[in-house]
Amino acid sequence: MVWHQVFQESGLDAWDSLMENVSGVNVLAPTWFSIVDSEGTVESRANQEYVDRAHANGMQIWALVENINSEVKLDNARLLNTTSSRNRIIQTLIEQALAYGIDGLNVDLEGLPSSAGSGYIQFIRELSVLCRVNNLVLSVDNYVPKGYNTHYHREEQGVMADYVIIMGYDEHYAGSTDAGSVSSLGFVKAGIEDTLKEVPAQKVINAIPFYTRVWIQPFGAGNLTSEVLGMDGAANYISEHGMDTYWDDEAGQNVASVEAEDGIYTIWVEDEQSIGEKMKLIQENQLAGVAEWKLGFERASVWPVIAQYL
């Protein structure tokens, strides 16, 4: 499964360029559904031709629903704890899925406060019933398990949903105060092992990143900053900046660094080698599969690496 991040349009306009070298993928998850207010209004970017093309190429569509909205600050506790709001979301999602021949739904509700926990799992419960009735696959995206996100109720998700997906990345993110890997091997391993304490392996999908970050630590009093790079972007950056690269066994990644006039630049690289190490964990733990964030950040040569472990 691979996520296709879609903004204003359906994503069909970029289909040819993005799908040209893709192989081995049996599920596409376009970001088509956005919850835009705490009343449960859902905006849709679903597109029939996109669905038809995917089906013609042997791929299912698990359309993603998200709550990440830049214009409307959602009250997620009110949204999920209110029966009418939950029902409105669910009704729209089911209607859209049936209208467009979508095969499944991928729930990606992030940043939920603990006060939204009971409403959230009730939402998953209610949605799962209608997905089952209408032969729709239900998958739910989750952070790597930590003490502060137990209110997502992974164990109960594992009972109701068809798949529980671990977002095995953002170990270090844009707001991190220390430079580090987006997805080190130890981080991924812990995420899988801790999830398997609550969810059976045959329902667990581990998601891996096709991106990394270049970290810039300026000399003097400046703050640490970072920038997202896809696989080719990182390789080009390393070459252009003359960065030295070494393999880090603990991270399961190549690490590139250089000391420039203004500071130290470091990249924990995501490439075929690091992806292979993550895929070994997925294979060893007999998980249901792998997901990738996101389509367009990868190199064509990474798809055969993934395929050999599935």
Side-chain angles (χ1 to χ4, degrees):
M1 167 183 163
V2 63
W3 283 289
H4 179 192
Q5 188 175 27
V6 176
F7 296 98
Q8 300 303 318
E9 302 297 332
S10 67
L12 188 64
D13 55 331
W15 176 280
D16 290 336
S17 59
L18 288 174
M19 298 301 297
E20 182 179 5
N21 296 307
V22 172
S23 63
V25 172
N26 59 5
V27 176
L28 275 174
T31 58
W32 273 351
F33 301 128
S34 299
I35 304 171
V36 296
D37 60 35
S38 56
E39 305 304 316
T41 304
V42 176
E43 288 187 353
S44 172
R45 294 176 290 280
N47 181 279
Q48 190 64 62
E49 187 177 348
Y50 188 109
V51 174
D52 293 343
R53 281 201 194 184
H55 288 169
N57 285 275
M59 292 179 284
Q60 294 186 17
I61 296 292
W62 297 358
L64 181 145
V65 54
E66 49 89 0
N67 63 336
I68 306 165
N69 188 279
S70 59
E71 296 179 5
V72 179
K73 186 175 181 180
L74 297 177
D75 181 346
N76 288 301
R78 177 185 169 195
L79 170 73
L80 294 168
N81 291 332
T82 304
T83 301
S84 60
S85 298
R86 292 197 308 269
N87 287 344
R88 189 175 184 186
I89 298 168
I90 292 169
Q91 181 179 358
T92 303
L93 294 177
I94 297 298
E95 287 176 352
Q96 288 283 299
L98 296 178
Y100 287 94
I102 291 168
D103 306 281
L105 296 169
N106 176 234
V107 177
D108 185 26
L109 303 190
E110 300 187 20
L112 298 181
S114 58
S115 58
S118 60
Y120 173 71
I121 201 61
Q122 182 63 18
F123 169 72
I124 298 299
R125 183 178 295 113
E126 292 166 353
L127 179 59
S128 71
V129 171
L130 287 183
C131 282
R132 194 170 299 113
V133 167
N134 290 285
N135 295 313
L136 299 172
V137 176
L138 177 61
S139 61
V140 186
D141 301 339
N142 287 268
Y143 300 113
V144 165
K146 300 289 183 181
Y148 54 79
N149 58 43
T150 57
H151 59 282
Y152 275 79
H153 301 289
R154 273 172 295 272
E155 185 173 5
E156 292 186 57
Q157 287 182 37
V159 173
M160 296 175 286
D162 296 293
Y163 297 103
V164 173
I165 300 177
I166 311 166
M167 297 183 290
Y169 40 77
D170 278 351
E171 178 181 5
H172 293 83
Y173 51 93
S176 293
T177 55
D178 298 313
S181 173
V182 165
S183 179
S184 70
L185 200 60
F187 178 79
V188 175
K189 185 174 187 289
I192 292 172
E193 291 177 349
D194 289 343
T195 299
L196 290 178
K197 294 174 184 176
E198 301 181 283
V199 184
Q202 65 267 24
K203 283 195 168 189
V204 175
I205 295 172
N206 188 74
I208 59 177
F210 281 160
Y211 71 94
T212 186
R213 287 184 176 274
V214 53
W215 297 92
I216 305 163
Q217 180 62 68
F219 296 129
N223 294 326
L224 177 73
T225 59
S226 69
E227 174 188 345
V228 169
L229 298 171
M231 287 186 170
D232 282 338
N236 293 337
Y237 197 100
I238 290 166
S239 176
E240 291 167 2
H241 290 78
M243 302 175 82
D244 296 319
T245 303
Y246 66 92
W247 177 257
D248 184 331
D249 270 326
E250 185 175 354
Q253 293 174 283
N254 286 298
V255 181
S257 64
V258 67
E259 186 173 312
E261 292 183 3
D262 57 340
I264 299 173
Y265 294 64
T266 312
I267 301 174
W268 279 261
V269 182
E270 289 297 347
D271 55 17
E272 292 80 1
Q273 193 172 2
S274 70
I275 295 299
E277 293 300 309
K278 293 175 177 61
M279 290 304 303
K280 288 176 186 176
L281 290 176
I282 291 171
Q283 185 184 65
E284 289 166 4
N285 286 280
Q286 299 182 327
L287 303 188
V290 63
E292 301 93 12
W293 181 268
K294 64 178 181 169
L295 189 63
F297 273 174
E298 81 283 3
R299 277 197 293 261
S301 53
V302 79
W303 294 115
V305 174
I306 293 171
Q308 68 178 298
Y309 293 100
L310 295 176

